[in-house]
Coordinates of all heavy atoms in Angstrom, one line a residue:
M1 N -90.3 51.2 -145.6 CA -91.3 50.2 -145.6 C -90.7 48.9 -145.3 O -91.0 47.9 -146.0 CB -92.0 50.2 -147.0 CG -92.9 51.4 -147.2 SD -93.8 51.3 -148.8 CE -94.9 49.9 -148.4
H2 N -90.0 48.8 -144.3 CA -89.4 47.5 -143.9 C -90.5 46.7 -143.2 O -91.1 47.1 -142.3 CB -88.2 47.7 -142.9 CG -87.1 48.4 -143.5 ND1 -86.7 48.2 -144.8 CD2 -86.1 49.2 -143.0 CE1 -85.6 48.9 -145.1 NE2 -85.3 49.6 -144.0
G3 N -90.7 45.5 -143.8 CA -91.6 44.5 -143.2 C -93.1 44.9 -143.4 O -93.9 44.1 -142.9
R4 N -93.4 45.9 -144.1 CA -94.8 46.3 -144.3 C -95.2 45.8 -145.7 O -94.5 45.9 -146.7 CB -95.0 47.8 -144.3 CG -94.9 48.3 -142.9 CD -95.5 49.6 -142.8 NE -95.8 49.9 -141.4 CZ -96.6 50.8 -141.0 NH1 -97.2 51.6 -141.9 NH2 -96.8 51.0 -139.8
S5 N -96.4 45.3 -145.8 CA -97.0 44.8 -147.1 C -97.8 46.0 -147.6 O -98.4 46.8 -146.9 CB -97.9 43.6 -146.8 OG -98.5 43.2 -148.0
S6 N -97.9 46.0 -148.9 CA -98.7 47.1 -149.6 C -100.2 46.8 -149.5 O -101.0 47.6 -149.9 CB -98.2 47.2 -151.0 OG -98.5 46.1 -151.7
G7 N -100.5 45.6 -149.0 CA -101.9 45.2 -149.0 C -102.4 44.5 -150.2 O -103.5 44.0 -150.3
V8 N -101.6 44.5 -151.3 CA -102.0 43.9 -152.5 C -101.3 42.5 -152.5 O -100.1 42.4 -152.5 CB -101.6 44.7 -153.8 CG1 -101.9 44.0 -155.0 CG2 -102.2 46.1 -153.7
R9 N -102.1 41.5 -152.6 CA -101.6 40.1 -152.7 C -101.9 39.5 -154.0 O -102.9 39.7 -154.6 CB -102.2 39.3 -151.6 CG -101.9 39.8 -150.2 CD -102.5 39.0 -149.1 NE -102.1 37.6 -149.2 CZ -102.8 36.6 -148.7 NH1 -103.9 36.9 -148.0 NH2 -102.4 35.4 -148.8
A10 N -100.9 38.7 -154.5 CA -101.1 38.1 -155.7 C -102.0 36.9 -155.6 O -101.9 36.1 -154.6 CB -99.7 37.6 -156.3
C11 N -102.9 36.7 -156.5 CA -103.7 35.5 -156.5 C -103.0 34.3 -157.1 O -102.4 34.5 -158.2 CB -105.0 35.8 -157.4 SG -106.1 34.4 -157.5
P12 N -103.0 33.2 -156.4 CA -102.2 32.1 -156.9 C -102.7 31.5 -158.3 O -102.0 30.9 -159.0 CB -102.3 31.0 -155.9 CG -103.4 31.4 -155.0 CD -103.6 32.9 -155.2
D13 N -104.0 31.8 -158.6 CA -104.5 31.4 -159.9 C -104.4 32.4 -161.0 O -104.8 32.1 -162.1 CB -106.0 31.1 -159.7 CG -106.3 29.9 -158.7 OD1 -105.4 29.1 -158.6 OD2 -107.3 29.9 -158.1
A14 N -103.8 33.5 -160.7 CA -103.6 34.6 -161.7 C -102.6 34.1 -162.7 O -101.6 33.4 -162.4 CB -103.2 35.9 -161.1
P15 N -102.7 34.5 -164.0 CA -101.7 34.1 -165.0 C -100.4 34.8 -164.8 O -99.4 34.3 -165.3 CB -102.4 34.6 -166.3 CG -103.4 35.6 -166.0 CD -103.8 35.3 -164.6
F16 N -100.3 35.9 -164.1 CA -99.1 36.5 -163.8 C -99.2 37.2 -162.4 O -100.3 37.6 -162.0 CB -98.7 37.6 -164.8 CG -99.8 38.6 -165.0 CD1 -99.9 39.7 -164.3 CD2 -100.8 38.4 -166.0 CE1 -100.9 40.7 -164.5 CE2 -101.8 39.3 -166.2 CZ -101.8 40.4 -165.4
P17 N -98.1 37.3 -161.7 CA -98.2 37.9 -160.3 C -98.4 39.4 -160.5 O -98.1 40.0 -161.5 CB -96.9 37.6 -159.7 CG -96.0 37.3 -160.8 CD -96.8 36.7 -161.9
L18 N -99.0 40.0 -159.5 CA -99.3 41.4 -159.5 C -98.1 42.3 -159.4 O -98.1 43.4 -159.9 CB -100.3 41.8 -158.4 CG -101.7 41.2 -158.4 CD1 -102.5 41.6 -157.2 CD2 -102.4 41.7 -159.7
D19 N -97.0 41.8 -158.9 CA -95.7 42.5 -158.8 C -94.8 42.1 -159.9 O -93.6 42.2 -159.7 CB -95.1 42.4 -157.4 CG -94.7 40.9 -157.2 OD1 -95.2 40.0 -157.9 OD2 -94.0 40.7 -156.2
A20 N -95.3 41.8 -161.1 CA -94.4 41.4 -162.2 C -93.6 42.5 -162.7 O -92.6 42.3 -163.4 CB -95.3 40.8 -163.3
S21 N -93.9 43.8 -162.4 CA -93.2 44.9 -162.9 C -91.7 44.9 -162.4 O -90.9 45.5 -163.0 CB -93.9 46.2 -162.6 OG -93.9 46.4 -161.2
A22 N -91.5 44.2 -161.3 CA -90.1 44.2 -160.7 C -89.2 43.4 -161.7 O -88.0 43.7 -161.8 CB -90.1 43.6 -159.3
D23 N -89.7 42.4 -162.3 CA -88.9 41.6 -163.2 C -89.1 41.9 -164.7 O -88.4 41.3 -165.5 CB -89.2 40.1 -162.9 CG -88.9 39.7 -161.5 OD1 -88.0 40.3 -160.9 OD2 -89.6 38.8 -161.0
M24 N -90.0 42.8 -165.0 CA -90.3 43.0 -166.4 C -89.3 44.0 -167.0 O -88.8 44.9 -166.4 CB -91.7 43.6 -166.5 CG -92.1 43.8 -167.9 SD -93.9 44.2 -168.1 CE -94.1 45.5 -166.9
N25 N -89.0 43.7 -168.3 CA -88.1 44.6 -169.0 C -88.8 46.0 -169.2 O -90.0 46.0 -169.5 CB -87.8 44.0 -170.4 CG -86.8 44.7 -171.2 OD1 -86.7 46.0 -171.1 ND2 -86.1 44.0 -172.0
P26 N -88.1 47.1 -168.9 CA -88.7 48.4 -169.0 C -89.2 48.8 -170.4 O -90.0 49.7 -170.6 CB -87.7 49.3 -168.4 CG -86.4 48.6 -168.5 CD -86.7 47.1 -168.5
L27 N -88.7 48.1 -171.4 CA -89.1 48.4 -172.8 C -90.5 47.8 -173.1 O -91.1 48.2 -174.1 CB -88.1 47.9 -173.8 CG -86.8 48.7 -173.8 CD1 -85.8 48.0 -174.8 CD2 -87.0 50.1 -174.2
V28 N -91.0 46.8 -172.4 CA -92.2 46.2 -172.7 C -93.4 47.2 -172.6 O -94.1 47.3 -173.6 CB -92.5 45.0 -171.8 CG1 -93.9 44.4 -172.0 CG2 -91.4 43.9 -172.1
P29 N -93.6 47.9 -171.6 CA -94.7 48.9 -171.6 C -94.5 50.0 -172.7 O -95.5 50.4 -173.3 CB -94.7 49.5 -170.2 CG -93.8 48.7 -169.4 CD -92.9 47.9 -170.3
L30 N -93.3 50.4 -172.9 CA -93.0 51.4 -173.9 C -93.4 50.8 -175.3 O -94.0 51.5 -176.2 CB -91.6 51.8 -173.9 CG -91.2 52.9 -174.8 CD1 -92.0 54.2 -174.6 CD2 -89.7 53.2 -174.8
F31 N -93.0 49.6 -175.5 CA -93.3 48.9 -176.8 C -94.8 48.8 -177.0 O -95.3 49.1 -178.1 CB -92.6 47.5 -176.8 CG -93.0 46.7 -178.1 CD1 -92.3 47.0 -179.3 CD2 -93.9 45.7 -178.1 CE1 -92.6 46.3 -180.4 CE2 -94.2 45.0 -179.2 CZ -93.5 45.3 -180.4
I32 N -95.5 48.4 -176.0 CA -97.0 48.3 -176.1 C -97.6 49.7 -176.4 O -98.4 49.9 -177.3 CB -97.6 47.7 -174.9 CG1 -97.1 46.3 -174.7 CG2 -99.1 47.8 -174.8 CD1 -97.5 45.6 -173.4
L33 N -97.1 50.7 -175.7 CA -97.6 52.1 -175.8 C -97.4 52.6 -177.2 O -98.2 53.3 -177.8 CB -97.0 53.0 -174.8 CG -97.5 54.4 -174.7 CD1 -98.9 54.4 -174.2 CD2 -96.6 55.2 -173.9
V34 N -96.2 52.3 -177.8 CA -95.9 52.8 -179.1 C -96.5 51.9 -180.2 O -96.9 52.5 -181.3 CB -94.3 52.8 -179.3 CG1 -93.9 53.1 -180.7 CG2 -93.7 53.9 -178.4
S35 N -96.6 50.6 -180.0 CA -97.1 49.8 -181.1 C -98.6 49.9 -181.3 O -99.0 49.6 -182.5 CB -96.7 48.3 -180.8 OG -97.4 47.8 -179.7
L36 N -99.4 50.2 -180.3 CA -100.8 50.3 -180.6 C -101.2 51.4 -181.6 O -101.9 51.2 -182.5 CB -101.6 50.5 -179.2 CG -101.6 49.3 -178.3 CD1 -102.2 49.6 -177.0 CD2 -102.3 48.2 -179.0
P37 N -100.7 52.7 -181.4 CA -101.1 53.7 -182.4 C -100.4 53.4 -183.8 O -101.0 53.7 -184.8 CB -100.5 55.0 -181.9 CG -100.0 54.7 -180.5 CD -100.1 53.3 -180.3
I38 N -99.2 52.8 -183.8 CA -98.6 52.5 -185.0 C -99.4 51.4 -185.8 O -99.5 51.4 -187.0 CB -97.1 52.0 -184.8 CG1 -96.3 53.3 -184.4 CG2 -96.5 51.4 -186.0 CD1 -94.9 53.0 -184.1
A39 N -99.9 50.4 -185.0 CA -100.7 49.4 -185.6 C -102.0 50.0 -186.2 O -102.4 49.6 -187.3 CB -101.1 48.3 -184.6
A40 N -102.6 50.9 -185.5 CA -103.9 51.5 -186.0 C -103.6 52.4 -187.3 O -104.3 52.3 -188.2 CB -104.5 52.4 -184.9
I41 N -102.5 53.1 -187.2 CA -102.1 53.9 -188.4 C -101.8 53.0 -189.6 O -102.2 53.3 -190.7 CB -101.0 54.9 -188.0 CG1 -101.5 56.0 -187.1 CG2 -100.4 55.6 -189.3 CD1 -100.4 56.8 -186.4
S42 N -101.1 52.0 -189.3 CA -100.7 51.0 -190.4 C -101.9 50.4 -191.0 O -102.0 50.2 -192.2 CB -99.7 50.0 -189.9 OG -98.5 50.5 -189.4
L43 N -102.9 50.1 -190.2 CA -104.1 49.5 -190.7 C -104.8 50.5 -191.6 O -105.3 50.1 -192.7 CB -105.0 49.0 -189.6 CG -106.3 48.4 -190.0 CD1 -106.0 47.0 -190.7 CD2 -107.2 48.2 -188.8
V44 N -104.9 51.7 -191.2 CA -105.6 52.7 -192.0 C -104.8 53.0 -193.3 O -105.4 53.0 -194.4 CB -105.7 54.1 -191.2 CG1 -106.1 55.2 -192.1 CG2 -106.7 53.9 -190.1
L45 N -103.5 53.0 -193.2 CA -102.7 53.2 -194.4 C -102.8 52.0 -195.4 O -102.8 52.2 -196.6 CB -101.2 53.5 -194.1 CG -100.9 54.8 -193.4 CD1 -99.4 54.9 -193.0 CD2 -101.2 56.0 -194.4
Y46 N -102.8 50.8 -194.8 CA -102.8 49.6 -195.6 C -104.2 49.5 -196.4 O -104.2 49.1 -197.5 CB -102.6 48.4 -194.8 CG -102.5 47.1 -195.6 CD1 -101.3 46.9 -196.4 CD2 -103.5 46.2 -195.6 CE1 -101.2 45.8 -197.1 CE2 -103.4 45.0 -196.4 CZ -102.2 44.8 -197.1 OH -102.1 43.7 -197.9
T47 N -105.3 50.0 -195.7 CA -106.6 49.9 -196.4 C -106.8 51.0 -197.3 O -107.8 51.0 -198.1 CB -107.7 49.8 -195.3 OG1 -107.6 50.9 -194.5 CG2 -107.6 48.5 -194.5
D48 N -106.0 52.1 -197.3 CA -106.2 53.2 -198.1 C -105.7 52.9 -199.5 O -104.7 52.3 -199.7 CB -105.4 54.4 -197.6 CG -105.6 55.7 -198.4 OD1 -106.5 55.7 -199.2 OD2 -105.0 56.7 -198.1
T49 N -106.5 53.2 -200.5 CA -106.2 52.8 -201.9 C -105.1 53.7 -202.5 O -104.4 53.2 -203.4 CB -107.4 52.9 -202.8 OG1 -107.9 54.3 -202.7 CG2 -108.5 52.0 -202.4
G50 N -104.8 54.8 -201.9 CA -103.8 55.7 -202.5 C -102.4 55.4 -202.0 O -101.4 56.0 -202.4
I51 N -102.2 54.5 -201.0 CA -100.9 54.2 -200.4 C -100.5 52.8 -200.9 O -101.2 51.9 -201.0 CB -101.0 54.1 -198.9 CG1 -101.6 55.4 -198.3 CG2 -99.7 53.8 -198.2 CD1 -100.6 56.6 -198.5
E52 N -99.2 52.8 -201.3 CA -98.7 51.5 -201.8 C -98.5 50.6 -200.6 O -97.8 50.9 -199.6 CB -97.3 51.8 -202.5 CG -96.6 50.7 -203.1 CD -97.4 50.2 -204.3 OE1 -98.0 51.0 -205.0 OE2 -97.3 48.9 -204.6
P53 N -99.0 49.3 -200.7 CA -98.9 48.4 -199.6 C -97.4 48.0 -199.3 O -97.1 47.7 -198.2 CB -99.6 47.1 -200.1 CG -100.6 47.7 -201.1 CD -99.9 48.8 -201.7
A54 N -96.6 48.1 -200.3 CA -95.1 47.8 -200.1 C -94.5 48.8 -199.1 O -93.6 48.4 -198.3 CB -94.4 47.8 -201.4
L55 N -95.0 50.0 -199.2 CA -94.5 51.0 -198.3 C -94.9 50.8 -196.8 O -94.1 50.9 -195.9 CB -95.0 52.4 -198.7 CG -94.5 53.6 -197.9 CD1 -93.0 53.8 -197.9 CD2 -95.2 54.9 -198.3
V56 N -96.1 50.3 -196.7 CA -96.6 49.9 -195.3 C -95.8 48.8 -194.8 O -95.4 48.8 -193.6 CB -98.1 49.6 -195.3 CG1 -98.6 49.2 -194.0 CG2 -98.9 50.8 -195.8
W57 N -95.6 47.7 -195.6 CA -94.8 46.6 -195.1 C -93.3 47.0 -194.8 O -92.7 46.4 -193.9 CB -94.8 45.4 -196.2 CG -96.2 44.8 -196.2 CD1 -97.0 44.7 -197.2 CD2 -96.8 44.1 -195.1 NE1 -98.2 44.0 -196.8 CE2 -98.0 43.6 -195.6 CE3 -96.4 43.8 -193.8 CZ2 -98.9 42.9 -194.7 CZ3 -97.3 43.1 -193.0 CH2 -98.5 42.7 -193.5
A58 N -92.8 47.9 -195.6 CA -91.4 48.3 -195.3 C -91.4 49.1 -193.9 O -90.4 48.9 -193.2 CB -90.9 49.3 -196.4
T59 N -92.4 49.8 -193.6 CA -92.5 50.5 -192.4 C -92.6 49.5 -191.2 O -92.0 49.6 -190.2 CB -93.7 51.4 -192.3 OG1 -93.6 52.3 -193.4 CG2 -93.8 52.2 -191.1
V60 N -93.4 48.5 -191.4 CA -93.6 47.4 -190.4 C -92.2 46.7 -190.2 O -91.8 46.5 -189.0 CB -94.7 46.4 -190.8 CG1 -94.7 45.2 -189.9 CG2 -96.0 47.1 -190.7
K61 N -91.6 46.4 -191.2 CA -90.3 45.7 -191.1 C -89.3 46.6 -190.4 O -88.5 46.1 -189.5 CB -89.7 45.3 -192.5 CG -90.5 44.2 -193.2 CD -89.9 44.0 -194.6 CE -90.8 43.3 -195.5 NZ -90.3 43.2 -196.8
T62 N -89.2 47.8 -190.7 CA -88.3 48.8 -190.0 C -88.6 48.8 -188.5 O -87.7 48.8 -187.7 CB -88.4 50.2 -190.7 OG1 -88.1 50.1 -192.0 CG2 -87.5 51.1 -190.0
F63 N -89.9 48.9 -188.2 CA -90.3 49.0 -186.8 C -89.9 47.7 -186.0 O -89.4 47.8 -184.9 CB -91.8 49.2 -186.7 CG -92.3 49.3 -185.3 CD1 -92.0 50.4 -184.5 CD2 -93.1 48.3 -184.7 CE1 -92.4 50.5 -183.2 CE2 -93.5 48.4 -183.4 CZ -93.2 49.5 -182.6
V64 N -90.1 46.6 -186.7 CA -89.7 45.3 -186.1 C -88.2 45.2 -185.8 O -87.7 44.9 -184.8 CB -90.2 44.1 -186.9 CG1 -89.5 42.8 -186.4 CG2 -91.7 44.0 -186.8
I65 N -87.4 45.6 -186.8 CA -85.9 45.6 -186.7 C -85.5 46.6 -185.6 O -84.6 46.2 -184.8 CB -85.3 46.0 -188.1 CG1 -85.5 44.8 -189.1 CG2 -83.8 46.3 -187.9 CD1 -85.1 45.2 -190.5
L66 N -86.1 47.8 -185.6 CA -85.7 48.7 -184.5 C -86.1 48.2 -183.1 O -85.4 48.4 -182.1 CB -86.3 50.1 -184.8 CG -85.7 50.9 -185.9 CD1 -86.5 52.2 -186.1 CD2 -84.3 51.2 -185.7
G67 N -87.2 47.5 -183.0 CA -87.6 46.9 -181.8 C -86.6 45.8 -181.3 O -86.3 45.7 -180.1
I68 N -86.2 45.0 -182.3 CA -85.2 43.9 -181.9 C -83.9 44.6 -181.5 O -83.3 44.1 -180.5 CB -85.0 43.0 -183.2 CG1 -86.2 42.2 -183.4 CG2 -83.7 42.1 -183.0 CD1 -86.2 41.4 -184.7
V69 N -83.4 45.6 -182.2 CA -82.2 46.3 -181.8 C -82.4 46.9 -180.4 O -81.5 46.8 -179.5 CB -81.8 47.4 -182.8 CG1 -80.7 48.3 -182.3 CG2 -81.4 46.8 -184.1
A70 N -83.5 47.5 -180.1 CA -83.8 48.1 -178.8 C -83.8 47.1 -177.7 O -83.3 47.2 -176.6 CB -85.1 48.9 -178.8
G71 N -84.4 45.9 -178.0 CA -84.4 44.8 -177.0 C -83.0 44.3 -176.8 O -82.7 44.0 -175.6
A72 N -82.2 44.2 -177.8 CA -80.9 43.7 -177.6 C -80.0 44.7 -176.8 O -79.3 44.3 -175.9 CB -80.2 43.4 -179.0
L73 N -80.2 46.0 -177.0 CA -79.5 47.0 -176.3 C -80.0 46.9 -174.8 O -79.1 47.0 -173.9 CB -79.7 48.3 -176.8 CG -79.0 48.7 -178.1 CD1 -79.5 50.0 -178.7 CD2 -77.5 48.7 -177.9
S74 N -81.2 46.8 -174.6 CA -81.8 46.7 -173.2 C -81.2 45.4 -172.5 O -80.8 45.5 -171.3 CB -83.3 46.7 -173.2 OG -83.8 46.5 -171.9
F75 N -81.2 44.3 -173.2 CA -80.7 43.1 -172.6 C -79.2 43.2 -172.3 O -78.8 42.8 -171.2 CB -80.9 41.9 -173.6 CG -80.4 40.6 -173.1 CD1 -81.1 39.9 -172.1 CD2 -79.2 40.1 -173.6 CE1 -80.6 38.7 -171.6 CE2 -78.7 38.9 -173.1 CZ -79.4 38.2 -172.1
G76 N -78.5 43.8 -173.2 CA -77.0 44.0 -172.9 C -76.8 44.9 -171.8 O -75.9 44.7 -171.0
A77 N -77.6 46.0 -171.7 CA -77.4 46.9 -170.6 C -77.8 46.3 -169.2 O -77.1 46.5 -168.2 CB -78.3 48.2 -170.8
S78 N -78.8 45.4 -169.2 CA -79.2 44.8 -168.0 C -78.1 43.8 -167.6 O -77.8 43.7 -166.4 CB -80.5 44.1 -168.1 OG -80.4 43.0 -169.0
R79 N -77.5 43.1 -168.5 CA -76.4 42.2 -168.2 C -75.2 42.9 -167.7 O -74.5 42.5 -166.8 CB -76.0 41.3 -169.4 CG -77.1 40.4 -169.8 CD -77.4 39.3 -168.8 NE -78.7 38.8 -168.9 CZ -79.5 38.4 -168.0 NH1 -79.1 38.5 -166.7 NH2 -80.7 38.0 -168.2
L80 N -74.9 44.0 -168.3 CA -73.8 44.8 -167.9 C -74.0 45.4 -166.5 O -73.1 45.4 -165.6 CB -73.5 46.0 -168.9 CG -72.3 46.9 -168.6 CD1 -71.0 46.0 -168.7 CD2 -72.3 48.0 -169.7
A81 N -75.2 45.8 -166.2 CA -75.5 46.3 -164.9 C -75.4 45.2 -163.8 O -74.9 45.5 -162.7 CB -77.0 46.9 -164.8
E82 N -75.8 44.0 -164.1 CA -75.7 42.9 -163.2 C -74.2 42.6 -162.9 O -73.9 42.2 -161.8 CB -76.4 41.6 -163.7 CG -77.9 41.6 -163.6 CD -78.5 40.4 -164.1 OE1 -77.8 39.4 -164.3 OE2 -79.8 40.4 -164.3
R83 N -73.4 42.6 -164.0 CA -72.0 42.3 -163.8 C -71.3 43.4 -163.0 O -70.4 43.0 -162.2 CB -71.3 42.3 -165.2 CG -69.9 41.8 -165.1 CD -69.2 41.8 -166.4 NE -70.0 41.3 -167.6 CZ -69.6 41.5 -168.8 NH1 -68.4 42.2 -169.1 NH2 -70.3 41.1 -169.8
T84 N -71.7 44.6 -163.1 CA -71.1 45.7 -162.3 C -71.5 45.7 -160.8 O -70.8 46.2 -160.0 CB -71.3 47.1 -162.9 OG1 -72.7 47.3 -163.0 CG2 -70.6 47.2 -164.3
K85 N -72.7 45.1 -160.6 CA -73.2 45.0 -159.2 C -72.4 44.0 -158.4 O -72.1 44.2 -157.2 CB -74.7 44.6 -159.2 CG -75.6 45.7 -159.4 CD -77.0 45.2 -159.3 CE -78.1 46.2 -159.7 NZ -79.4 45.6 -159.6
A86 N -72.0 42.9 -159.0 CA -71.3 41.9 -158.3 C -69.9 42.1 -158.1 O -69.2 43.0 -158.4 CB -71.4 40.6 -159.1

């Protein structure tokens, strides 16, 4: 596809370009995909009277910490890949 356009053009007034996936961290869609059901389950567990709220908060904290670790690993891997390309 040298010199051919896909026919999709970014709108200059759009909040983000349509081809943002080229620069986006690959963990972002995965994080969104995983966090939506976890948020729904956490909401149900938190509103349930038989579940201790501290347990739900511990689960949320663990998920946040694992997300930070995954982001740091992804960032480090991308920097390492850039360094090996040059």
Side-chain angles (χ1 to χ4, degrees):
M1 289 184 68
H2 294 327
R4 289 197 160 197
S5 176
S6 65
V8 178
R9 295 179 56 200
C11 177
D13 297 331
F16 55 87
L18 294 176
D19 61 345
S21 63
D23 297 331
M24 185 169 46
N25 187 329
L27 287 178
V28 171
L30 183 63
F31 177 76
I32 293 170
L33 185 68
V34 170
S35 65
L36 288 175
I38 288 178
I41 292 168
S42 297
L43 182 66
V44 169
L45 289 176
Y46 187 71
T47 56
D48 189 4
T49 56
I51 303 294
E52 185 68 33
L55 180 63
V56 176
W57 286 118
T59 304
V60 170
K61 289 178 200 175
T62 302
F63 181 70
V64 168
I65 290 170
L66 289 176
I68 291 170
V69 169
L73 287 173
S74 175
F75 179 76
S78 68
R79 295 294 157 212
L80 185 60
E82 282 182 14
R83 190 184 318 164
T84 57
K85 281 183 185 178

